[in-house]
Amino acid sequence: MLVVPALAGLALLLLPMAGLAWRAPWGRLPGLLTADHVLTALRLSLTTATLATVLALIMGIPVAWMLARDNVRGRGVLRGLVTVPLVLPPVVGGIALLVAFGRRGVVGGWLEQTFGINVPFTTVAVIMAQTFVAMPFLIIAVEGALRGADSRYDQIAASLGASPWTTFRRVTLPSVAPSVVAGAILCWARALGEFGATITFAGSLPGTTRTLPLEAYAAIGAGDTDTALVLSVIMVAVCVTVLVALRDRWVRAL
Amino acid sequence: MTGVRTAIVVLAGVVVALLGWSWLGGGDDGSDDATGGDVSADDDGRPAGTVTVLAAASLTESFTQISDELARSHPEIEIVLSFGPSSQLVEQVLAGAPVDVLATADMATMAKAADAGVLDGEATVFAANTPALVVPAGNPGGVAGLSDLEREDLRVAVCEPHVPCGAAAERLTTLAGVEPVPDTLATDVKEALALVTLGEVDVALVFHTDAVSAGEAVEVVPVEEAESVVNDYPVAVLERARQPAAARAVVEAVTGEIGRRVLTESGFLVP
Amino acid sequence: MTGLAASVVVERGSFILDAELRVQPGEVVALLGPNGAGKSTLLAALAGLHRPVRGLVKLGDTVLDEPASGVHVPLRDRQVGLVVQDYLLFPRMSAVENVAFGLRARGVARAMARERAREWLGRMDVAEHERRPRQLSGGQAQRVALARALIVEPALLLLDEPLAALDAGTRPRVRAELRRHLAAYGGCTLVVTHDPLEAMVLGERIVVLENGRVAQAGTPAEVARHPRTDYVARLVGLNLLRGNATGKAARIADGLTVTLAHEVHGPVHVTFPPAAVTLSPRRPDGSARNAWSGTVEDLEVHGDLVRVSVGGPVPLLADVTPLAVAELGLAPGTPVWASVKATEVSAYPR
């Protein structure tokens, strides 16, 4: 009998979202959607999640490439470490970021003394927290694809005189494009929903570091359930739209 | 295949070890006393059972100590403590959390619970707190008073306006005619305090008791107006309490002799 | 130009390849051998993908590998072209982009590279310039792969089972085209194959590799006529004639024709297995439609059969039983008639 646990599982996954839809203050929706604090948080979230995804692409694809190569020493350990943020409680990630990049942190102290740069409690900190938590999604997706890619194409390209960089850019990367897109989408969705690391490392200040999830949390704390519900509905809508629209085409590539 | 099997065995071993440690190594959490959660009074008619207490974050140290002392005199009462921002505690209670006692850091949040009719009787004020301006040890930002909260070059943390420490901060700064420029709005007072002890912010507005609890990690910058911003701490038994007698015993401990002594040591004002 | 001169020892686990190979410029050498003989290993070594532990690989005047002095030129700098079994055209590029890739990688401007690529595709009779690889037929894909490899003018062209990916129906035609294109290429060519017919059609010389060693080398006729191992005898046991076909007859020499079972036109390869040849003391009649007279030149025992080389206007091989040898009294110098049924004869365009 697989049907009963399957139904229970589906109910657990879908009922909360149905509950959101049911409880959402649809009547007040237009007003709340155009409220300044909601728009500010929405704008901040979209900007930071997108920048975090761009950062993850720039840094994550080379990391994936490195992990997919057989001749890198300590690759297994490195892969394990890189994927830690996938399972790490985000709050722990935030604390770790704070310890590293905080003003008394290893890197942060040096940054502040040398360049006068302060990272925590800035929008940059939000992007860093999101990248920290979301980049492993991209790395895993791209690494898997690179591992499955036929390395003989690289040999052909090399025989034609192409440098490793040209080969990577013109041959390897296009062949794993679907996985890159899938990974980037998951990464973006994860960054958009990032909460724990953000509130720990970047704090919560409207317009600067208070993203949608933080705004929702603040709204709950302030007893403003309607706003919290509206923000939740926005996030669910964004995620569902993205994932459903691209489901078969891209997510399958994982 | 052997790799998978090894991994499962190792994982299971770790889980079992941690479980064992959490049950046995936890010490005096009353692991094996006979007081189940179902009895409301033992053979002598004394209150017994498990009491779940939700308390404001600023009560963390004092309530932990009160609970320890109560456990010594009343081993048949097992107290489960949970701390958080008062506003969230109230939300949890209103959402139906199985809670017996609620202690918040201001009257406004408790009023929400009272309005919803979930309290058993009236709430009792058992302590009062005043705001305090705290800086990391050594005062790296050179903070001299409330007006420094306006300095752009300093990193400033205050609490969200809807949590008690935020409300108190707002009253205080309004009273002093200061407009703070915060770099972050902490969701509860302990978060604001942690940012100071970590040195991540130069100054924060917390409660006096928090400054006391942080010890030498922080310094308090005297603020004259702070005396006039008194924040009352109410405690109440909830109507749905499963162990009303035990719950009332806990509240009596808080408002009674033990509570007064511990709270005073923690820097609270007691009635 | 001295062409390719390779003498390599390559170790792959317990397998050891120890082979010597020479290919003259403009020459096509077929590397023939059973699975596991080390053909791919040798090819990979020549491409620079496996480093030999001993030996010397020279291409023209350049030393590509000399383990003794630590010389190893990586694939990118070896001037070696690769065409592999499944062609491996870059799937996200059009035919033109595939062919232009090598020039682009060498810094040739895009427009110029595409122009040259179009010329090469034209030379290879590929008109579908803008199609993606998966829209191309097997034969087209092979020609695109060949153009892609040749456009950068490699000194050595390595083809790994270039016809294996094709279905049996198109293989003869593509094989003939490939032969023509390889003939026009001035560099050294090495074709790896396990198919003796392919080796005989494409290779001017055949090198047979067995158990990591060269078992035999020579022209296709030499190898077929004087097999030195059972494997070669069984595999290369194929009579190969060249002629011009008009319908169901192919003229293979002045006044000599072969009757075919199906219609073909133009230059053809005519093949039939030695086992299909019947030897008799007089001209046979009946259903064996092709018959030529000749003289026994040589006899060699292979397993249960005796391979008889018959000289004359149509030189051929015949596999007969020892009993037949005795009954017919075959010995070098014995005149015989050799006959083959038309249905046993294959004719392919060349």
Side-chain angles (χ1 to χ4, degrees):
Chain A
M1 276 312 281
L2 293 172
V3 176
V4 173
L7 287 178
L10 284 176
L12 181 62
L13 290 175
L14 300 178
L15 273 182
M17 281 188 263
L20 270 183
W22 183 60
R23 278 290 308 274
W26 297 109
R28 290 186 58 200
L29 196 64
L32 284 171
L33 273 180
T34 51
D36 270 350
H37 61 292
V38 172
L39 286 181
T40 305
L42 181 64
R43 205 177 308 126
L44 183 67
S45 264
L46 293 177
T47 315
T48 53
T50 306
L51 286 174
T53 306
V54 170
L55 266 185
L57 283 168
I58 293 172
M59 301 187 293
I61 292 176
V63 171
W65 176 76
M66 213 167 80
L67 291 179
R69 287 174 70 94
D70 288 330
N71 53 5
V72 175
R73 291 176 127 242
R75 193 165 41 96
V77 177
L78 199 62
R79 183 191 297 121
L81 290 177
V82 161
T83 49
V84 161
L86 283 181
V87 291
L88 198 69
V91 175
V92 177
I95 294 170
L97 281 168
L98 204 54
V99 170
F101 296 101
R103 55 162 59 158
R104 289 190 186 170
V106 195
V107 185
W110 175 75
L111 277 179
E112 171 152 29
Q113 277 164 23
T114 318
F115 305 105
I117 297 174
N118 261 316
V119 179
F121 310 108
T122 60
T123 308
V124 173
V126 176
I127 297 167
M128 280 174 71
Q130 291 174 342
T131 310
F132 175 84
V133 170
M135 187 158 63
F137 283 90
L138 183 93
I139 293 177
I140 294 292
V142 177
E143 192 219 337
L146 286 176
R147 194 167 289 282
D150 192 338
S151 65
R152 293 181 306 155
Y153 282 108
D154 298 5
Q155 294 168 4
I156 295 280
S159 78
L160 296 170
S163 66
W165 166 239
T166 304
T167 306
F168 181 74
R169 192 172 46 87
R170 293 203 54 206
V171 178
T172 315
L173 206 51
S175 75
V176 298
S179 297
V180 172
V181 173
I185 287 168
L186 279 182
C187 175
W188 186 81
R190 179 68 188 85
L192 194 72
E194 183 4 73
F195 174 77
T198 309
I199 199 164
T200 315
F201 180 51
S204 170
L205 191 70
T208 309
T209 59
R210 187 173 286 180
T211 53
L212 279 180
L214 272 62
E215 183 69 44
Y217 183 70
I220 278 280
D224 186 356
T225 324
D226 279 0
T227 301
L229 280 168
V230 167
L231 291 167
S232 307
V233 167
I234 293 176
M235 282 183 279
V236 169
V238 170
C239 292
V240 168
T241 309
V242 168
L243 292 178
V244 168
L246 301 170
R247 69 188 184 281
D248 283 338
R249 188 119 182 254
W250 301 113
V251 177
R252 196 176 37 191
L254 282 178
Chain B
M1 275 298 107
T2 53
V4 173
R5 210 168 291 165
T6 312
I8 291 172
V9 168
V10 168
L11 197 62
V14 169
V15 169
V16 167
L18 286 176
L19 259 182
W21 179 72
S22 68
W23 281 100
L24 304 173
D28 56 5
D29 274 4
S31 53
D32 54 356
D33 52 83
T35 52
D38 299 317
V39 248
S40 182
D42 69 3
D43 292 344
D44 305 334
R46 290 178 18 144
T50 301
V51 179
T52 302
V53 180
L54 289 194
S58 49
L59 293 169
T60 307
E61 290 82 12
S62 38
F63 264 42
T64 307
Q65 199 183 334
I66 292 172
S67 143
D68 285 351
E69 294 196 13
L70 192 64
R72 249 170 270 146
S73 56
H74 291 73
E76 63 287 344
I77 300 179
E78 190 183 332
I79 301 175
V80 177
L81 293 171
S82 174
F83 301 100
S86 299
S87 49
Q88 256 183 47
L89 301 181
V90 173
E91 288 293 333
Q92 286 176 31
V93 166
L94 295 185
V99 178
D100 304 290
V101 174
L102 174 69
T104 62
D106 68 357
M107 299 303 285
T109 44
M110 186 61 86
K112 275 184 79 175
D115 291 347
V118 296
L119 301 186
D120 180 12
E122 292 281 308
T124 318
V125 173
F126 64 94
N129 212 345
T130 52
L133 196 60
V134 292
V135 296
N139 195 358
V143 176
L146 266 187
S147 58
D148 284 323
L149 294 178
E150 296 181 337
R151 272 167 62 187
E152 292 276 3
D153 61 317
L154 291 185
R155 220 187 265 163
V156 175
V158 297
C159 296
E160 293 270 7
H162 57 79
V163 297
C165 70
E170 211 166 69
R171 280 160 65 200
L172 178 63
T173 50
T174 309
L175 194 67
V178 171
E179 280 186 40
V181 187
D183 288 276
T184 184
L185 300 178
T187 47
D188 72 22
V189 65
K190 289 300 178 195
E191 187 191 324
L193 184 69
L195 293 176
V196 176
T197 54
L198 283 172
E200 289 300 339
V201 298
D202 297 302
V203 58
L205 262 179
V206 296
F207 284 122
H208 185 67
T209 51
D210 302 304
V212 171
S213 74
E216 294 184 350
V218 303
E219 290 173 19
V220 177
V221 177
V223 175
E224 215 176 287
E225 295 89 341
E227 302 298 319
S228 353
V229 180
V230 178
N231 204 47
D232 287 328
Y233 281 59
V235 63
V237 174
L238 295 182
E239 199 185 33
R240 74 171 78 93
R242 283 165 306 159
Q243 318 291 351
R248 266 190 289 278
V250 171
V251 171
E252 273 160 27
V254 169
T255 55
E257 194 200 329
I258 302 175
R260 295 171 71 87
R261 178 167 45 75
V262 171
L263 289 162
T264 310
E265 279 168 13
S266 300
F268 283 100
L269 307 169
V270 290
Chain C
M1 278 278 274
T2 53
L4 173 75
S7 161
V8 289
V9 178
V10 181
E11 293 178 0
R12 306 288 297 164
S14 61
F15 179 80
I16 295 172
L17 170 80
D18 184 351
E20 214 180 311
L21 189 72
R22 290 185 160 275
V23 186
Q24 300 300 320
E27 187 186 27
V28 179
V29 171
L31 186 62
L32 182 65
N35 284 333
K39 303 189 300 282
S40 302
T41 307
L42 179 54
L43 199 76
L46 294 176
L49 298 170
H50 296 334
R51 293 180 70 155
V53 289
R54 284 192 300 283
L56 174 70
V57 180
K58 260 183 95 178
L59 185 56
D61 297 323
T62 315
V63 174
L64 295 183
D65 276 295
E66 191 176 29
S69 60
V71 174
H72 172 74
V73 178
L75 174 58
R76 190 186 164 200
D77 304 318
R78 283 174 95 94
Q79 285 209 300
V80 169
L82 292 177
V83 174
V84 295
Q85 179 173 339
D86 34 3
Y87 313 132
L88 295 181
L89 296 177
F90 304 130
R92 286 169 188 273
M93 297 182 200
S94 67
V96 164
E97 286 165 341
N98 262 282
V99 177
F101 183 88
L103 295 177
R104 296 282 292 131
R106 282 169 162 72
V108 176
R110 193 180 141 86
M112 167 75 94
R114 289 180 72 99
E115 180 60 37
R116 295 268 309 279
R118 286 181 193 288
E119 283 171 28
W120 267 94
L121 285 174
R123 206 177 303 178
M124 296 284 168
D125 306 316
V126 179
E128 292 78 5
H129 292 190
E130 299 306 329
R131 284 208 190 156
R132 291 290 176 94
R134 66 184 148 81
Q135 298 168 310
L136 296 172
S137 72
Q140 288 167 339
Q142 192 212 51
R143 280 173 284 157
V144 173
L146 196 60
R148 179 177 66 175
L150 291 179
I151 196 170
V152 294
E153 296 167 354
L156 170 64
L157 180 65
L158 301 174
L159 298 106
D160 189 3
E161 304 279 3
L163 300 164
L166 304 171
D167 59 70
T170 57
R171 201 173 295 161
R173 185 175 50 77
V174 177
R175 186 169 53 213
E177 286 166 5
L178 179 61
R179 185 184 141 77
R180 191 161 54 80
H181 292 309
L182 291 181
Y185 162 62
C188 312
T189 305
L190 185 67
V191 185
V192 164
T193 178
H194 67 277
D195 178 352
L197 181 62
E198 213 169 289
M200 295 179 98
V201 171
L202 295 177
E204 295 164 55
R205 276 198 307 126
I206 293 178
V207 173
V208 183
L209 205 60
E210 274 182 77
N211 300 320
R213 282 164 197 280
V214 174
Q216 191 167 359
T219 63
E222 282 164 11
V223 172
R225 210 165 284 269
H226 303 293
R228 292 211 195 116
T229 67
D230 284 354
Y231 164 75
V232 178
R234 249 179 290 113
L235 207 62
V236 190
L238 208 57
N239 289 298
L240 180 68
L241 306 172
R242 285 173 189 165
N244 272 297
T246 37
K248 288 196 171 182
R251 204 162 64 90
I252 51 173
D254 273 343
L256 281 173
T257 56
V258 179
T259 308
L260 307 171
H262 52 265
E263 286 204 19
V264 202
H265 292 275
V268 287
H269 278 120
V270 176
T271 67
F272 49 89
V277 179
T278 310
L279 297 181
S280 50
R282 284 171 298 282
R283 184 185 179 102
D285 24 67
S287 60
R289 304 268 294 276
N290 293 301
W292 308 282
S293 70
T295 316
V296 173
E297 288 187 336
D298 195 16
L299 294 137
E300 270 184 83
V301 180
H302 282 290
D304 300 339
L305 293 173
V306 178
R307 177 157 295 175
V308 184
S309 302
V310 180
V314 183
L316 50 76
L317 300 171
D319 280 352
V320 295
T321 60
L323 182 66
V325 172
E327 282 180 348
L328 296 170
L330 295 180
T334 314
V336 287
W337 279 87
S339 56
V340 185
K341 287 183 187 173
T343 49
E344 299 274 9
V345 177
S346 307
Y348 301 113
R350 65 183 156 101

